[in-house]
Amino acid sequence: MAKASKNIAEQNLTAPEHVAIIMDGNGRWAKKRFLPRTAGHVQGSRTAEQICEDAYDLGIKYLTIYAFSTENWARPESEVSALMDLLRKYMKDSIERSSKNNMRVRVIGDISRLDDDLRKSILRLEEATKNNTGLNFQVAINYGGRDEIVRAVRTICEEAVSGKLSPQQIDEELISSHLDTCGIPYPDLLIRTSGEYRTSNFLPWQLAYSEFYFTDVLWPDFNKEELKKAIEYYNSRDRRFGGVK
Ligand code: FPP
């Protein structure tokens, strides 16, 4: 686990090294204000940007957010396109922002289905930030945990068929290294907002031993105080990883 940062050290708390977030409740946030659902996503993307700064300030080294799932294509076309526009804007704006705040941005998910321009800005941003040493920020786009495992299995089979590896070499480490999250530690803590209690195909392999924190707060209202509450909860847990203490 990462060392606690100054602010939470005062409470003797340890920051989780990696936090994953399912940012739920944008639609309900907008509905409560008689706004279109897309307004909720706009506010949600602002919250995501702010939470990156807050997370790093609290001592978190890796943050992974679920921005668009493989199932989200089933939403109305206007909503899908509003979300893609937001992601497009995020990738462009982030090049400058990341060079200021030293953040490394990576995208997980199958980006081959995304529009050419979005895919290119993702690759440009990943390349531009690859040597940054601040927060490691992963954005899941067209991500589905089962799809990620299918893609990994396919690659492993191709390597086996071509003679690059033998079936005996397939172990947890090898599978892990073929996932989109290769090189990134597993999340210590998963946060889901808006009062839903499920993981919705988000990081099923990686979350096997993570702590789960659910809050009724809608994602656009989530802030540093709420993140601190999640860290407090995390610190109250006794992680045994299947063993005894
Ligand atoms: C779930 O809320 C949220 C999403 C499916 C999209 C999350 C995307 C963003 C916050 C914007 C993109 C992020 C960045 C970094 C640019 P919901 O629509 O399912 O809410 P509801 O359950 O209240 O309807």
Side-chain angles (χ1 to χ4, degrees):
M1 274 191 243
K3 274 245 159 14
S5 78
K6 251 203 314 214
N7 356 27
I8 60 170
E10 288 156 18
Q11 294 175 62
N12 239 342
L13 295 178
T14 304
E17 185 181 24
H18 184 175
V19 175
I21 307 184
I22 301 178
M23 313 178 287
D24 199 6
N26 293 348
R28 277 162 284 167
W29 182 92
K31 195 172 174 199
K32 270 170 65 180
R33 289 163 179 76
F34 306 101
L35 294 169
R37 293 178 55 81
T38 49
H41 295 316
V42 171
Q43 193 56 39
S45 70
R46 291 190 190 121
T47 301
E49 280 170 27
Q50 184 57 47
I51 283 298
C52 282
E53 290 185 23
D54 298 337
Y56 195 59
D57 190 41
L58 292 172
I60 292 161
K61 302 277 184 275
Y62 294 82
L63 179 70
T64 303
I65 61 162
Y66 207 4
F68 193 91
S69 74
T70 43
E71 290 72 34
N72 285 154
W73 297 107
R75 294 191 175 209
E77 210 212 304
S78 56
E79 185 171 342
V80 168
S81 116
L83 280 166
M84 289 299 150
D85 284 347
L86 268 177
L87 291 165
R88 218 172 243 116
K89 184 172 175 326
Y90 180 82
M91 297 302 152
K92 293 212 171 98
D93 295 351
S94 282
I95 292 218
E96 202 181 318
R97 201 175 27 241
S98 305
S99 69
K100 282 192 201 130
N101 64 15
N102 198 20
M103 182 164 86
R104 177 174 186 183
V105 187
R106 275 175 276 193
V107 169
I108 58 168
D110 180 4
I111 63 167
S112 69
R113 198 176 156 186
L114 306 179
D115 286 351
D116 236 25
D117 69 312
L118 176 55
R119 207 171 55 240
K120 281 184 186 142
S121 16
I122 288 171
L123 297 175
R124 213 174 299 129
L125 179 61
E126 287 183 330
E127 179 63 24
T129 62
K130 70 176 184 203
N131 295 320
N132 288 354
T133 54
L135 180 74
N136 287 278
F137 183 44
Q138 290 69 238
V139 187
I141 306 177
N142 191 26
Y143 176 87
R146 290 177 180 168
D147 176 69
E148 177 188 37
I149 293 170
V150 168
R151 287 185 285 109
V153 169
R154 200 173 285 144
T155 311
I156 292 169
C157 285
E158 282 163 6
E159 289 171 6
V161 167
S162 73
K164 201 175 147 198
L165 64 84
S166 74
Q168 283 67 35
Q169 284 171 275
I170 301 173
D171 57 12
E172 288 188 16
E173 205 181 314
L174 184 115
I175 292 176
S176 189
S177 72
H178 283 74
L179 298 176
D180 298 345
T181 49
C182 169
I184 296 166
Y186 296 146
D188 302 291
L189 174 68
L190 171 79
I191 299 173
R192 181 169 190 150
T193 57
S194 92
E196 306 290 350
Y197 295 79
R198 53 180 178 270
T199 55
S200 303
N201 206 9
F202 190 41
L203 304 170
W205 174 281
Q206 297 87 338
L207 292 174
Y209 277 100
S210 310
E211 297 295 332
F212 288 10
Y213 176 80
F214 298 101
T215 170
D216 287 341
V217 173
L218 302 176
W219 175 251
D221 293 326
F222 196 81
N223 56 25
K224 194 173 186 177
E225 282 314 302
E226 298 299 331
L227 182 57
K228 277 192 204 161
K229 285 185 202 164
I231 295 176
E232 278 166 29
Y233 168 82
Y234 173 74
N235 275 260
S236 74
R237 306 302 304 161
D238 179 18
R239 298 186 83 192
R240 294 188 295 279
F241 297 97
V244 281
K245 271 187 187 164

